[in-house]
Amino acid sequence: DVKVTQSSRYLVKRTGEKVFLECVQDMDHENMFWYRQDPGLGLRLIYFSYDVKMKEKGDIPEGYSVSREKKERFSLILESASTNQTSMYLCAIRLGSTNEKLFFGSGTQLSVL
Amino acid sequence: AQSVTQPDIHITVSEGASLELRCNYSYGATPYLFWYVQSPGQGLQLLLKYFSGDTLVQGIKGFEAEFKRSQSSFNLRKPSVHWSDAAEYFCAVAFFGNEKLTFGTGTRLTIIP
């Protein structure tokens, strides 16, 4: 089975802190995605990566950056956390081309105080 | 830019009744369409997908969806709902050559006895 692991289930940070959210896959998949999920807004794409050191902005990249130094790990970085970044963050991988499904991690609920 | 609209934020259905959840997308090319379900406290699970061929697709848990190009729609249906179907349902769209998967805002389904 495909496994997508997000390092923390719950995280509490203070405004202005630098925050790292980690996502690790156990297979050799190219495509990895970071979404945030908010009530009434659904899932919104922050960034995605289709290979090592390759990244593309999604729909809401402001305030975020990403890092993909190794194929299995895709990190989301909040350079200076703000309260409006309190959200559920979901990492996903795709096994193949655009018409293939996404496999999601269990999510990280981030609270910025 | 591609977008997905789920016009119903919340739907309440009696157990045993039929269900239809609406989804419309916007863009010019042929879409790849997906329905995901998220049960309370759970991750997202793929119900079904469409990328070509027969416009009526069958999914897991007794769900089906029909792609209607003329209406830019991909509505999800189930003839008889069960209490375990209570969850949030997300429609999503992608397009050939574009790695991005865009989600709708979701429809929350409540089942009453």
Side-chain angles (χ1 to χ4, degrees):
Chain A
D1 276 357
V2 176
K3 198 171 180 183
V4 182
T5 304
Q6 293 183 235
S7 52
S8 304
R9 185 72 178 95
Y10 298 96
L11 210 53
V12 180
K13 296 292 182 181
R14 295 205 176 276
T15 302
E17 277 193 77
K18 190 169 185 175
V19 181
F20 292 85
L21 302 182
E22 304 289 341
C23 176
V24 178
Q25 56 156 317
D26 65 342
M27 302 285 282
D28 202 29
H29 303 297
E30 282 103 14
N31 298 299
M32 298 185 75
F33 304 81
W34 275 107
Y35 288 87
R36 63 177 283 177
Q37 183 179 9
D38 300 286
L41 298 177
L43 281 77
R44 293 179 292 166
L45 181 64
I46 306 171
Y47 266 97
F48 62 99
S49 168
Y50 46 88
D51 208 341
V52 175
K53 297 191 186 294
M54 308 298 281
K55 60 184 179 183
E56 289 280 345
K57 292 181 181 179
D59 298 316
I60 52 163
E62 297 78 19
Y64 303 94
S65 62
V66 290
S67 171
R68 192 155 180 211
E69 296 297 318
K70 293 183 179 180
K71 200 161 198 176
E72 67 269 19
R73 186 180 296 268
F74 189 35
S75 303
L76 180 69
I77 303 158
L78 287 65
E79 297 289 343
S80 177
S82 63
T83 54
N84 63 12
Q85 292 178 309
T86 291
S87 185
M88 170 66 81
Y89 290 87
L90 296 169
C91 175
I93 65 169
R94 188 167 63 215
L95 276 61
S97 57
T98 312
N99 63 3
E100 294 297 327
K101 68 178 181 180
L102 298 184
F103 285 90
F104 285 87
S106 54
T108 296
Q109 178 62 52
L110 173 67
S111 297
V112 182
L113 306 178
Chain B
Q2 63 197 59
S3 67
V4 178
T5 302
Q6 292 182 250
D8 304 305
I9 296 171
H10 185 202
I11 284 182
T12 300
V13 176
S14 297
E15 190 168 14
S18 63
L19 171 71
E20 182 167 27
L21 302 183
R22 295 183 291 165
C23 172
N24 292 90
Y25 66 93
S26 68
Y27 200 62
T30 299
Y32 301 133
L33 295 155
F34 305 79
W35 275 100
Y36 285 82
V37 60
Q38 186 178 38
S39 298
Q42 303 293 313
L44 279 90
Q45 180 183 23
L46 180 71
L47 283 175
L48 46 79
K49 66 175 183 176
Y50 168 81
F51 59 93
S52 68
D54 194 346
T55 56
L56 184 65
V57 292
Q58 303 297 321
I60 62 171
K61 305 185 180 188
F63 286 91
E64 66 177 27
E66 186 172 14
F67 170 54
K68 293 186 177 179
R69 185 187 301 276
S70 61
Q71 298 175 20
S72 297
S73 69
F74 189 56
N75 293 350
L76 182 72
R77 300 194 294 248
K78 187 170 185 178
S80 176
V81 297
H82 186 261
W83 64 266
S84 60
D85 293 324
E88 189 147 25
Y89 292 80
F90 294 95
C91 181
V93 66
F95 295 92
F96 177 77
N98 183 344
E99 300 305 319
K100 193 170 75 168
L101 182 65
T102 299
F103 284 82
T105 52
T107 297
R108 185 160 62 92
L109 176 64
T110 297
I111 308 294
I112 55 175

